[in-house]
């Protein structure tokens, strides 16, 4: 079971409390409901969970409490509170995907991940805030249903996006597990900015069925959690083929092999130092120390060269925006003026790409995948900082009109795009804090379907951070 660091509650502690009978899922659920009410009233409001229903939460919690009493729990997630990004269909909530115009009726069918979490006995505490249509990396969403989620480490800073509310909910202690989607860093950026663990699975590994198919070739689903062990548990429950999601049908079986090996002997960690160093000084210093820590556990660092990164970066933008633009064509015709200004700007940019651009971008994808195949024949993983900077400030004007800072968007995705473009998995783990007290994370990427090695390295990375600073907004659901 995970140890408590600085009071952040992990899945394993909740399980121990429930198994020992010290606490029932119903009591935890009542605590959470009180806290959700409190979040909405606080100044400024946290805005992590944007839709929740007391009755739904209690129904799931009471069913779980009965299972614990009868010693017939369904999985390691039984009784564990989770939330899902609003991009997923979750009964009976509105599938708004961060907009004001989608999801006018309550959902009647669950996305595959929501269904699997219910079958595992998890308590879905609601759906979480997100950047409108997943089009940005700040999490800034000024519309009337969403408002701007706050970073629990400093409410005057952004959470990162687009899975903004998922990361904020986990960091603030409302639930140890949240589900996000990642097409350009949308799980890993907010997880990094909010100081929690984020895993982007291999493309196709976890079913996207029941989420809005904004960009079919770049988006992967993954968990955001308080600990690497929790991410491994959620991954092992969600990662399998789904007949309703053709891209993942041919995947090899998900394993957690060697995850708990005592050291990292024999592992080769690839680093392209020129690429690695393209970040703020504080971020670089923390990340270099974390790499040394992994070396001290027996891993060796191998210098690698990641070729054509600039071409890959541009090609990824062309792919994701062209696919979103294509999927959102009907919305552009009918609802353009109901979208946030930043979304309008992104989709206007997307309208400038041609079929030729898209074809060339996909040729670049084939090249980039081939380069990675060669690199992964010599190393087990590639290390980079997660994001080149810490979470940016929120300005008064952002609350009203939103924020559109293209240079920030481009910069925040620097270390993320390779994973989305080529489909390889990536894990971000918090490793420290800036002098201003904002979280800093390291990213580990591995070859397709090798999430197990990420989790193995991630467990060791977690030990590098000697203490966890408690966020300034934190709820103790075990209280």
């Amino acid at each position: 079971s995970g140890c408590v660091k600085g009071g952040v509650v992990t899945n394993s502690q909740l399980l121990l409390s429930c198994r020992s009978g010290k606490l029932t899922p119903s009591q935890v659920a009542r605590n959470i409901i009180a806290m959700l009410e409190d979040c909405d009233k606080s100044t400024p409001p946290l805005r992590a969970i944007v839709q929740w229903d007391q009755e739904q939460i209690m129904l799931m919690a009471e069913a779980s409490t009965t299972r614990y009493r009868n010693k017939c729990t369904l999985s390691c997630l039984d009784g564990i509170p989770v939330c899902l990004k609003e991009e997923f269909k979750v009964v009976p909530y509105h599938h708004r995907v961060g907009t004001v115009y989608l999801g006018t009726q309550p959902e009647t069918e669950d996305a595959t991940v929501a269904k699997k979490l219910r079958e595992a006995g998890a308590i879905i505490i609601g759906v979480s805030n997100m950047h409108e249509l997943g089009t940005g990396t700040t999490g800034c969403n000024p519309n009337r249903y969403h408002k701007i989620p706050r970073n629990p480490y400093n409410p005057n800073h952004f959470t990162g996006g687009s899975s903004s509310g998922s990361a904020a909910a986990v960091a603030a202690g409302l639930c140890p597990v949240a589900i996000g989607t990642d097409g350009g860093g949308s799980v890993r950026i907010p997880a990094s900015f909010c100081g929690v663990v984020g895993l982007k699975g291999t493309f196709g590994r976890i079913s996207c069925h029941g989420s809005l198919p904004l960009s079919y070739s770049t988006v992967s689903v993954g968990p955001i959690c308080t600990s690497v062990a929790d991410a491994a548990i959620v991954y092992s429950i969600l990662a399998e083929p789904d007949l309703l999601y053709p891209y993942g049908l041919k995947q090899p079986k998900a394993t957690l092999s060697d995850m708990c090996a005592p050291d990292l002997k024999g592992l080769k960690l690839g680093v392209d130092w020129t690429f690695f160093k393209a970040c703020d000084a504080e971020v670089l210093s923390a990340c270099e120390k974390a790499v040394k820590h992994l070396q001290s556990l027996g891993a060796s660092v191998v210098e690698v060269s990641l070729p054509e990164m600039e071409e890959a970066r541009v090609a990824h933008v062309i792919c994701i925006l062209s696919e979103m633009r294509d999927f959102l064509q009907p919305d552009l015709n009918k609802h353009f003026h109901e979208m946030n200004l930043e979304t309008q700007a992104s989709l206007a940019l997307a309208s400038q790409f041609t079929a030729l651009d898209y074809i060339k971008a996909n040729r670049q994808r084939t090249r980039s995948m081939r380069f990675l195949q060669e690199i992964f024949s010599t190393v087990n993983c590639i290390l980079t900082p997660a994001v080149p900077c810490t979470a940016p400030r929120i300005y008064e004007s952002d609350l009203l009109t939103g924020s559109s800072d293209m240079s920030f968007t481009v910069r925040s995705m620097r270390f993320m795009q390779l994973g989305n473009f080529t489909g390889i998995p990536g894990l971000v783990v918090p490793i420290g804090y800036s002098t201003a007290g904002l979280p800093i994370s390291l990213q580990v990427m591995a070859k397709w379907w090798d999430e197990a090695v990420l989790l193995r390295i991630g467990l060791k990375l977690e030990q590098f951070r000697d203490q966890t600073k408690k966020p300034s907004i934190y709820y103790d659901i075990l209280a």
Side-chain angles (χ1 to χ4, degrees), residues 146-354:
H146 297 87
K147 298 286 176 250
I148 292 170
R150 303 293 179 144
N151 191 319
Y153 276 91
N154 184 334
N156 298 319
H157 286 249
F158 282 118
T159 54
S162 64
S163 308
S164 51
S166 296
V170 172
L174 291 171
C175 50
V177 171
I179 307 298
T181 60
D182 189 315
S186 284
V187 158
R188 293 162 293 158
I189 293 169
S192 306
F193 282 165
C194 294
V196 290
V197 172
L199 172 66
K200 176 197 98 72
T202 304
F203 176 77
R205 179 61 108 176
I206 297 172
S207 174
C208 281
H209 175 74
S211 72
L212 202 69
L214 290 161
S215 163
Y216 63 90
S217 79
T218 66
V219 173
S220 295
V221 177
I224 294 174
C225 301
T226 32
S227 70
V228 174
D230 288 0
I233 290 167
V234 180
Y235 164 75
S236 64
I237 285 172
L238 297 181
E240 64 173 1
D242 171 15
L243 290 173
L244 300 169
Y245 183 65
Y247 301 119
L249 288 178
K250 292 270 194 285
Q251 61 177 280
K253 196 163 169 43
T255 68
L256 298 175
S257 59
D258 290 337
M259 183 178 141
C260 297
D263 54 40
L264 298 176
K265 284 197 180 85
L267 285 186
K268 293 187 175 128
L269 317 175
V271 179
D272 177 332
W273 285 110
T274 312
F275 185 55
F276 191 100
K277 287 177 176 169
C279 60
D280 291 357
E282 279 191 295
V283 172
L284 179 60
S285 156
C287 289
E288 285 179 330
K289 285 183 192 134
V291 173
K292 287 203 172 80
H293 167 74
L294 296 177
Q295 277 178 291
S296 75
L297 292 166
S300 56
V301 169
V302 178
E303 282 203 44
V304 296
S305 163
L306 294 170
E308 300 180 12
M309 285 307 289
E310 189 53 28
E311 289 82 348
R313 204 174 62 70
V314 173
H316 165 263
V317 170
I318 291 169
C319 285
I320 189 168
L321 283 179
S322 300
E323 288 169 8
M324 288 173 106
R325 172 78 180 68
D326 165 56
F327 178 73
L328 294 168
Q329 182 61 45
D331 302 40
L332 282 170
N333 293 338
K334 280 209 299 249
H335 301 286
F336 187 72
H337 294 293
E338 293 170 82
M339 292 174 179
N340 292 335
L341 294 171
E342 185 193 10
T343 310
Q344 292 179 357
S346 301
L347 292 172
L349 169 66
S351 305
Q352 301 305 304
F353 298 134
T354 64

Side-chain angles (χ1 to χ4, degrees), residues 384-407:
T384 69
V387 194
C389 55
T390 53
R393 270 205 56 181
I394 298 172
Y395 292 96
E396 278 303 303
S397 60
D398 300 338
L399 306 177
L400 303 168
T401 51
S403 154
S404 185
D405 181 345
M406 267 305 179
S407 66

Side-chain angles (χ1 to χ4, degrees), residues 423-439:
I424 59 172
L427 176 75
V428 297
V429 180
I431 54 163
Y433 304 91
S434 67
T435 43
L438 291 165

Side-chain angles (χ1 to χ4, degrees), residues 355-403:
L356 219 64
D357 294 327
Y358 186 68
I359 289 165
K360 278 188 178 153
N362 276 296
R363 287 196 180 127
Q364 179 62 44
R365 194 193 305 248
T366 307
R367 285 177 69 82
S368 295
M369 289 171 82
R370 211 159 275 156
F371 294 141
L372 284 178
Q373 261 173 328
E374 284 169 33
I375 290 168
F376 285 126
S377 68
T378 60
V379 297
N380 300 90
C381 69
I382 295 168
L383 303 179
T384 69
V387 194
C389 55
T390 53
R393 270 205 56 181
I394 298 172
Y395 292 96
E396 278 303 303
S397 60
D398 300 338
L399 306 177
L400 303 168
T401 51
S403 154

